[in-house]
């Protein structure tokens, strides 16, 4: 996006805020006085609702404010003046975080946006005849059209404000009106009904409406706190693993990151992404039971040692199966079970998550320096993943990971490692085959030699993480 | 068709069919009543599951609407039919529970109906006040029957406002749904739109409870998994961790620790042996792990988390009781919780969860003359395991 001149933002901010104030003065001079008690009540509730939103994720938040907006539009119509809705809207501009940050221009702008949007909604609602809005279909239609007016003006003005910073264009705001209104219009209808109920029953309807909303909000906040606790509990595991095997510091976190990148590439819904994230974070939990000297052994492992190290996968699967929401993808912790088998392709009952963790794990193993081998270059890791796609790795997952990395422009591996660990014995530079825990000695070495004699060098080794 | 799909599809199809019927013929009350019946079936499938509470079905909200709009005969027909369908298709661990559940629902609905109509018939005055009061009394009557049945089943009853969020949400949404259906006078309302739209806040509550319940369970199970690591690794006997968690919690409660402190004590009890995993293999180094190191490393693993840092303080106290030096200062409550944990785990190492070894375990902690154990913790442990017959109450498999 192109940077816009700074004065443009001032023009929009002052223009919108001033327009609301001039409109208020004009209406007050020529109209009747609204029911100030109702204005104060709805204004306060609107302002509180604006502060009591729930942040669902980085982009989305919900609050009850739209319902209250429409309720106020319906209730204040009886006063025969648009001053009430305008002032109720202005209340929402009193946003404490903006005051704390001394963001006066943003505050003045918000003050104007909410006021004008409410004014537009009230004007549209007022255009419908009283007898029409007295019927249920009439009320629904009027509330719907009025809600659209509030929503569209709000989006347009905020879109202009954001566009003035050069972050996005106005076209995005216009697209947002079309795509987001279907999500909020039921709240507009509820607000319309709430307003009509207020008119017949009085303010008692407000606590009846607010109670479940507040409980839902409080419960959802507890949920978000516990989700953070769950994340931190997974971090406990990572901390313990890193104390035990500090040479693989960051491995689990990186695997989780790559796995989520693949999940996003495959358009996983949020719930599935969350499960994938935790499965990846916890896939090495069984390593807690692997003796440290084996995890950090610089040389090759004996068969017995290798078998002991491999036992951790069964333990990991067992432990993940104890957690209900991870149980369906518990095999993510097993290299054997998550290995791709073309015969299983298309089996809907087999989740793809274990394959994702498997690929992410192998990619990180290849692009990180371990005690037994230095990090490989990204191109080598890509080639290795592609080579084994369809045999060892799920081809769709491999392509998704590569596409995600390329799209983000991320480069990992030799020359791009962060926090490289200092080893007592410098790790050797070895071929692509020893990407994981290290080759077995000595029998596996003999097998490898036989293979090498039969095929070109560095092919057909299994990538083990 | 999976059970879940059946639970969703059946009531939705019923509801939509009734709505269509209602749209086609508004003269008869039956299409709307059948749609409300569909709502009852839907509500029966959705339980508000507040933390540490029995589930509360949302069916009561739709029943309240039916109570307000239907005649006695209509109410009886729709409630019986809809409740029967709802209970038949709902998730139930045991088929034998369904008849009892059905009776519970009938009793609850009948109580609500009787209370509402006795008030609106016998009390005179402001119509608005009477109708709103009657609706409030009716939903309270419905919920009271639920509560009575629960009391009969569990033989215990507790009440705390902060745990009654589900009831409050159900109460207020049901009132709105009912009063908005046909207004105070029974004529001026929004019809089926009212329960449809005012159900949304209740549904949001249901969703948030469901999310909370799911993450709560995931968190507990993750903790349990981390706790089991020490048993799989052979550092502690099988079942030791779970017994210590349960007994520590009981002792902590006896000492007056609050809910938050108990949670931290339970977390510390689960994670206390994780430090074993961070130390070098005992067979490899040829020496047993030092318990102070184990507790300190376990505490270190927890320390990075804001949520779990108080549990780290509990483990720091345990490390100190094992002679760890340079331990950071902790607050008195965490120190007491740490003392509880130390006493309970040493007790369990001897008692091993067996009633016959109870006094051996107790003598191990009461006969200490070095002042290692906090007398308050020892006293509370004795009270819990002897006077309250802790092992006697535990299921045979656990004890």
């Amino acid at each position: 996006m192109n940077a816009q001149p700074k004065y443009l933002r001032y023009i929009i901010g002052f223009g919108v805020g001033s327009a609301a104030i001039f409109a208020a003065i004009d209406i007050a001079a020529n109209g009747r006085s609204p029911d100030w008690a109702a204005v104060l009540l709805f204004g306060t509730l609107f302002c509180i609702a604006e502060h009591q939103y729930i942040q669902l994720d980085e982009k989305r938040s919900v609050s009850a404010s739209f319902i209250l907006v429409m309720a106020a539009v319906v209730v204040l119509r009886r006063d025969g003046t648009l001053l009430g809705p305008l002032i109720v809207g202005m209340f929402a501009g009193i946003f404490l975080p903006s005051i704390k940050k001394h963001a006066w221009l943003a505050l003045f702008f918000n003050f104007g946006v909410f006021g004008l949007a409410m004014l537009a909604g009230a004007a549209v609602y007022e255009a419908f005849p009283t007898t029409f809005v007295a019927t249920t279909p009439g009320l629904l239609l009027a509330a719907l059209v009025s809600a659209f007016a509030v929503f569209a003006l709000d989006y347009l003005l905020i879109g202009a404000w954001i566009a003035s910073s050069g972050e996005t264009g106005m076209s995005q705001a216009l697209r947002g009106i079309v795509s987001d209104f279907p999500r909020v219009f039921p709240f507009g209808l509820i607000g319309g009904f709430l307003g009509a109920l207020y008119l017949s029953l009085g303010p008692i309807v407000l606590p009846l409406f607010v109670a479940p909303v507040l409980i839902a909000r409080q419960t959802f906040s507890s949920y978000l706190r516990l989700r953070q606790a769950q994340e931190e509990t997974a971090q406990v595991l990572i901390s313990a693993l890193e104390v035990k095997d500090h040479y693989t510091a960051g491995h689990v976190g990186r695997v989780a990151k790559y796995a989520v990148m693949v999940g996003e590439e495959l358009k996983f819904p949020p719930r599935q992404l969350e499960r994938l994230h935790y499965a990846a974070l916890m896939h090495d939990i069984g390593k807690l039971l692997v003796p440290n000297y084996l995890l950090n052994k610089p040389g090759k492992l004996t068969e017995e040692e290798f078998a002991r190290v491999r036992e951790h996968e069964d333990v990991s699967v067992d432990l993940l199966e104890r957690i209900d929401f991870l149980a369906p993808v518990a095999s993510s912790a097993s290299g054997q079970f998550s290995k791709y088998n073309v015969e299983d392709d298309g089996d809907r009952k087999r989740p793809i998550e274990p394959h994702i963790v498997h690929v992410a794990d192998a990619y990180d193993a290849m692009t990180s320096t371990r005690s037994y081998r230095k990090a490989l270059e990204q191109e080598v890791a890509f080639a290795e993943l592609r080579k084994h796609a369809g045999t060892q790795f799920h081809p769709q997952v491999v392509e998704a990971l590569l596409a995600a990395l390329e799209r983000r422009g991320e480069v990992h591996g030799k020359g791009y490692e962060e926090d490289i660990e200092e080893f007592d014995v410098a790790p050797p530079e070895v071929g692509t085959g020893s990407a994981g825990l290290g080759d077995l000695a000595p029998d596996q070495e003999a097998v490898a030699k036989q293979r090498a004699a039969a095929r070109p060098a560095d092919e057909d080794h299994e990538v083990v993480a | 068709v999976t059970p879940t799909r059946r639970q969703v599809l059946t009531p939705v199809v019923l509801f939509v069919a009734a709505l269509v019927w209602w749209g086609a013929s508004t003269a008869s009350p039956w299409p709307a009543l059948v749609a409300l019946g569909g709502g009852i079936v839907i509500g029966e499938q959705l339980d508000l599951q507040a933390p540490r509470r029995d589930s509360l079905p949302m069916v009561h909200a739709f029943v309240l609407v039916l109570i307000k709009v239907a005649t006695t005969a209509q109410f009886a027909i729709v409630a019986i039919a809809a409740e029967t369908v709802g209970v038949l298709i709902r998730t139930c661990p045991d088929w034998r529970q369904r008849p009892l559940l059905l009776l519970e629902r009938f009793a609850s609905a009948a109580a609500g109906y009787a209370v509402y109509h006795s008030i609106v018939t016998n009390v005179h005055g402001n119509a608005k006040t009477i109708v709103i009061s009657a609706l409030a009394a009716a939903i309270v009557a419905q919920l009271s029957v639920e509560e009575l049945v629960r009391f009969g089943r569990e033989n215990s009853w507790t009440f705390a406002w902060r745990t009654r969020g589900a009831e409050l949400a159900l109460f207020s949404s049901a009132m709105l749904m009912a009063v908005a259906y046909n207004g105070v006078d029974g004529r001026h309302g929004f019809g089926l739109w009212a329960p449809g739209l005012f159900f949304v806040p209740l549904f949001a509550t249901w969703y948030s409870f469901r999310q909370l319940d799911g993450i709560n369970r995931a968190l507990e199970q993750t903790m349990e998994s981390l706790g089991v690591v020490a048993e799989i690794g052979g550092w502690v006997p099988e079942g030791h961790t779970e017994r210590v968690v349960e007994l520590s919690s009981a002792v902590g409660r006896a000492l007056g620790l609050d809910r938050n402190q108990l949670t931290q004590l339970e977390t510390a009890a689960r994670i206390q042996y994780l430090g074993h995993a961070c130390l070098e293999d005992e067979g490899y180094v040829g020496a047993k792990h030092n318990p102070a190191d184990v507790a300190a490393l376990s505490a270190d693993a927890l320390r990075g988390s804001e949520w779990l840092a108080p549990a780290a303080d509990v483990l720091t106290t345990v490390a100190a009781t094992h002679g760890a030096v340079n331990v950071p200062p902790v607050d008195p409550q965490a120190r007491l919780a740490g003392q509880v944990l130390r006493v309970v785990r040493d007790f369990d190492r001897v008692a091993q969860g067996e009633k016959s070894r109870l006094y051996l375990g107790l003598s191990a902690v009461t006969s200490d003359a070095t002042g290692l154990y906090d007398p308050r913790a020892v006293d509370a442990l004795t009270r819990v395991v002897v006077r309250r017959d802790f092992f006697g109450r535990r299921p045979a498999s656990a004890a």
Side-chain angles (χ1 to χ4, degrees):
Chain A
M1 284 291 152
N2 295 327
Q4 301 292 337
K6 204 174 177 182
Y7 64 82
L8 195 59
R9 175 161 276 223
Y10 282 95
I11 291 173
I12 293 173
F14 277 115
V16 170
S18 306
I21 289 175
F22 284 128
I25 293 168
D26 184 54
I27 297 169
N30 301 310
R32 290 155 49 183
S33 184
D35 173 0
W36 288 109
V39 169
L40 192 66
L41 177 64
F42 279 101
T44 308
L45 285 174
F46 189 11
C47 182
I48 292 171
E50 276 297 299
H51 286 81
Q52 299 289 312
Y53 62 90
I54 298 171
Q55 197 68 42
L56 297 177
D57 53 38
E58 285 176 7
K59 292 177 185 168
R60 295 176 306 153
S61 63
V62 289
S63 84
S65 55
F66 200 60
I67 296 174
L68 291 165
V69 163
M70 288 312 302
V73 163
V74 173
V75 169
L76 297 173
R77 175 192 167 108
R78 65 180 175 188
D79 299 336
T81 170
L82 295 175
L83 187 60
L86 176 62
I87 293 175
V88 167
M90 286 171 165
F91 266 89
I94 307 168
F95 194 56
L96 289 179
S98 298
I99 295 173
K100 281 181 188 162
K101 283 194 277 183
H102 300 285
W104 305 118
L105 184 64
L107 201 71
F108 193 54
F109 171 75
N110 278 333
F111 183 76
V113 166
F114 288 120
L116 291 177
M118 281 279 299
L119 181 66
V124 168
Y125 188 74
E126 194 130 333
F128 289 91
T130 308
T131 48
F132 182 74
V133 294
T135 63
T136 302
L139 175 67
L140 281 171
L141 183 66
L144 183 70
V145 178
S146 171
F148 184 77
V150 174
F151 185 78
L153 191 62
D154 187 60
Y155 254 58
L156 280 176
L157 293 176
I158 291 176
W161 170 264
I162 295 172
S164 70
S165 68
E167 287 174 36
T168 57
M170 275 305 289
S171 57
Q172 195 160 332
L174 292 171
R175 276 200 301 274
I177 293 173
V178 178
S179 62
D180 292 350
F181 186 66
R183 286 212 300 264
V184 301
F185 86 87
F187 298 108
L189 299 184
I190 295 173
F193 275 16
L194 190 66
L197 263 188
Y198 180 101
L199 290 174
S200 67
L201 293 178
I204 191 173
V205 298
L206 290 179
L208 290 178
F209 167 73
V210 166
V213 172
L214 277 183
I215 290 164
R217 186 192 178 277
Q218 195 185 6
T219 309
F220 206 79
S221 299
S222 300
Y223 157 72
L224 293 177
R225 276 202 303 277
L226 280 190
R227 201 168 73 168
Q228 179 63 27
Q230 169 78 355
E231 180 79 31
E232 290 179 5
T233 306
Q235 291 295 333
V236 167
L237 162 72
I238 295 169
S239 305
L241 276 176
E242 289 182 351
V243 169
K244 186 179 180 70
D245 178 17
H246 48 97
Y247 295 137
T248 58
H251 166 70
V252 173
R254 287 194 301 272
V255 170
K257 183 186 124 181
Y258 299 144
V260 170
M261 279 164 62
V262 173
E264 285 170 349
E265 197 69 21
L266 296 176
K267 308 273 186 263
F268 277 16
R271 176 84 181 141
Q272 200 180 359
L273 268 184
E274 192 178 12
R275 188 172 73 168
L276 174 63
H277 171 68
Y278 285 118
L281 276 182
M282 300 192 68
H283 80 282
D284 267 346
I285 187 171
K287 265 192 187 171
L288 288 170
L289 298 174
V290 179
N292 299 7
Y293 71 92
L294 287 182
L295 283 179
N296 298 311
K297 186 176 178 181
K300 297 177 176 183
L301 301 174
T302 65
E303 285 228 39
E304 193 185 342
E305 288 170 337
F306 190 76
R308 178 132 193 225
V309 171
R310 275 295 186 208
E311 277 174 16
H312 91 267
E313 293 184 349
D314 296 336
V315 175
S316 298
V317 172
D318 176 28
L319 293 174
L320 292 193
E321 279 177 344
R322 291 165 188 258
I323 305 169
D324 288 347
F325 93 111
L326 291 181
V329 296
S331 55
S332 301
S334 165
Q336 198 59 38
F337 284 115
S338 53
K339 205 180 279 183
Y340 180 71
N341 184 350
V342 72
E343 289 169 12
D344 300 328
D345 215 7
D347 182 354
R348 285 184 177 186
K349 286 182 185 165
R350 286 180 71 93
I352 197 169
E353 286 94 332
H355 297 297
I356 296 175
V357 175
H358 186 45
V359 170
D361 199 14
Y363 173 74
D364 186 66
M366 286 190 282
T367 53
S368 311
T369 294
R370 298 288 178 91
S371 57
Y372 49 82
R373 190 247 311 117
K374 283 186 177 165
L376 308 176
E377 287 171 357
Q378 173 146 293
E379 294 72 31
V380 177
F382 277 9
E384 195 70 10
L385 288 175
R386 281 203 173 106
K387 190 170 73 181
H388 294 283
T391 52
Q392 187 183 348
F393 301 124
H394 197 298
Q396 194 187 356
V397 173
V398 169
E399 286 314 312
L401 176 65
L402 270 47
L405 287 167
E406 281 171 1
R407 180 172 309 121
R408 288 169 170 80
E410 286 191 20
V411 183
H412 304 280
K414 191 177 179 183
Y416 293 91
E417 279 184 286
E418 293 168 7
D419 306 325
I420 302 174
E421 189 66 46
E422 292 292 328
F423 291 89
D424 296 337
V425 180
E429 302 247 11
V430 290
T432 55
S434 53
L437 291 165
D439 291 344
L440 293 179
D443 294 346
Q444 290 283 330
E445 200 169 39
V447 173
K449 276 180 185 169
Q450 285 173 3
R451 285 181 175 172
R455 297 171 189 176
D458 285 338
E459 276 188 10
D460 286 353
H461 294 265
E462 185 172 292
V463 181
V464 186
Chain B
V1 180
T2 63
T4 314
R5 282 185 187 167
R6 186 184 64 221
Q7 280 169 0
V8 174
L9 282 177
T10 312
V12 168
V13 166
L14 258 174
F15 192 69
V16 171
L19 273 182
V20 172
W21 186 16
W22 177 63
S25 149
T26 49
S28 162
W30 282 102
L33 292 172
V34 174
L36 281 178
I40 289 173
V41 180
I42 293 173
E44 186 61 52
Q45 315 311 310
L46 301 173
D47 288 340
L48 288 167
Q49 183 61 65
R52 297 183 175 87
R53 290 293 318 278
D54 282 347
S55 58
L56 185 66
M58 285 154 68
V59 63
H60 299 302
F62 288 98
V63 170
L64 188 69
V65 182
L66 190 66
I67 285 172
K68 185 169 186 304
V69 304
T71 63
T72 308
Q74 289 167 344
F75 176 76
I77 293 168
V78 176
I80 290 172
E83 292 280 23
T84 306
V85 174
V87 169
L88 276 178
I89 64 170
R90 71 165 282 143
T91 308
C92 216
D94 189 347
W95 268 95
R96 283 169 294 184
Q97 289 177 3
R98 288 180 205 272
L100 289 175
L101 193 62
L102 202 53
L103 283 177
E104 184 183 329
R105 296 285 187 270
F106 290 159
S108 162
Y113 188 85
V115 167
Y116 177 81
H117 285 280
S118 61
I119 292 175
V120 292
T121 312
N122 299 315
V123 180
H124 304 286
N126 182 295
K128 194 197 297 182
T129 311
I130 290 169
V131 168
I132 289 175
S133 308
L135 284 174
I139 185 79
V140 168
Q142 289 183 68
L143 297 177
S144 300
V145 171
E146 287 269 334
E147 201 74 25
L148 273 173
V149 172
R150 195 171 300 138
F151 173 74
R153 204 168 45 220
E154 296 169 5
N155 202 20
S156 69
W157 190 75
T158 52
F159 185 87
W161 277 112
R162 66 182 165 76
T163 62
R164 297 286 166 160
E167 279 89 345
L168 187 58
L170 189 64
F171 171 89
S172 47
S173 291
M175 294 269 292
L176 270 187
M177 286 160 68
V179 81
Y181 185 91
N182 60 355
V184 170
D185 57 4
R187 289 191 299 275
H188 295 100
F190 308 118
L192 284 173
W193 285 99
L197 284 176
F198 288 120
F199 185 62
V200 172
L202 190 58
F203 189 77
T205 311
W206 170 81
Y207 179 74
S208 60
F209 274 135
R210 186 168 167 263
Q211 293 288 90
L212 182 63
D213 185 50
I215 198 75
N216 221 353
R217 203 152 2 105
L219 186 58
E220 280 175 14
Q221 290 169 343
T222 306
M223 287 289 182
E224 280 166 21
S225 281
L226 285 172
V228 167
V229 166
E231 293 181 5
I232 297 175
W235 293 302
V236 293
E238 199 178 332
H240 169 76
T241 308
E242 204 52 46
R243 288 195 301 270
V244 171
V245 170
E246 202 178 332
L247 194 49
S248 302
S249 183
V251 173
R253 211 173 297 121
L255 283 170
L257 298 183
D258 66 27
R259 200 172 60 154
N260 191 35
Q261 288 157 348
L262 286 175
T263 305
Q264 299 302 341
L265 174 57
E266 287 170 12
T267 303
R270 283 199 198 289
I271 308 293
Q272 59 177 319
Y273 299 115
L274 194 65
H276 277 294
C278 305
L279 291 164
E280 192 49 276
D281 203 29
E282 287 176 336
Y284 188 66
V285 293
K288 287 273 179 196
H289 292 158
N290 178 353
D293 293 341
V294 173
L297 280 167
S298 304
D300 285 348
L302 297 177
R303 189 83 60 195
S305 153
E306 191 186 336
W307 172 264
L308 298 169
D313 287 346
V314 176
L315 290 178
T316 299
T317 303
V318 174
T321 64
H322 280 294
V325 290
N326 297 330
V327 291
V330 299
D331 71 68
Q333 290 300 310
R335 202 158 47 234
L336 178 59
Q339 292 286 355
V340 169
L341 186 52
R342 177 67 205 268
V343 169
V344 170
R345 72 187 215 170
D346 286 5
F347 162 80
D348 189 76
R349 278 182 186 278
V350 178
Q352 296 168 13
E354 289 176 22
K355 205 170 181 179
S356 59
R357 297 176 64 88
L358 188 152
Y359 286 99
L360 274 179
L362 277 181
S363 70
V365 292
T366 52
S367 61
D368 168 64
T370 60
L372 175 66
Y373 302 118
D374 187 312
R376 290 172 298 170
V378 174
D379 183 48
L381 172 73
T382 309
R383 271 185 285 140
V384 168
V385 297
V386 178
R387 294 185 203 162
R388 296 190 194 171
D389 192 18
F390 187 77
F391 285 159
R393 283 192 296 106
R394 286 157 57 82
S397 59

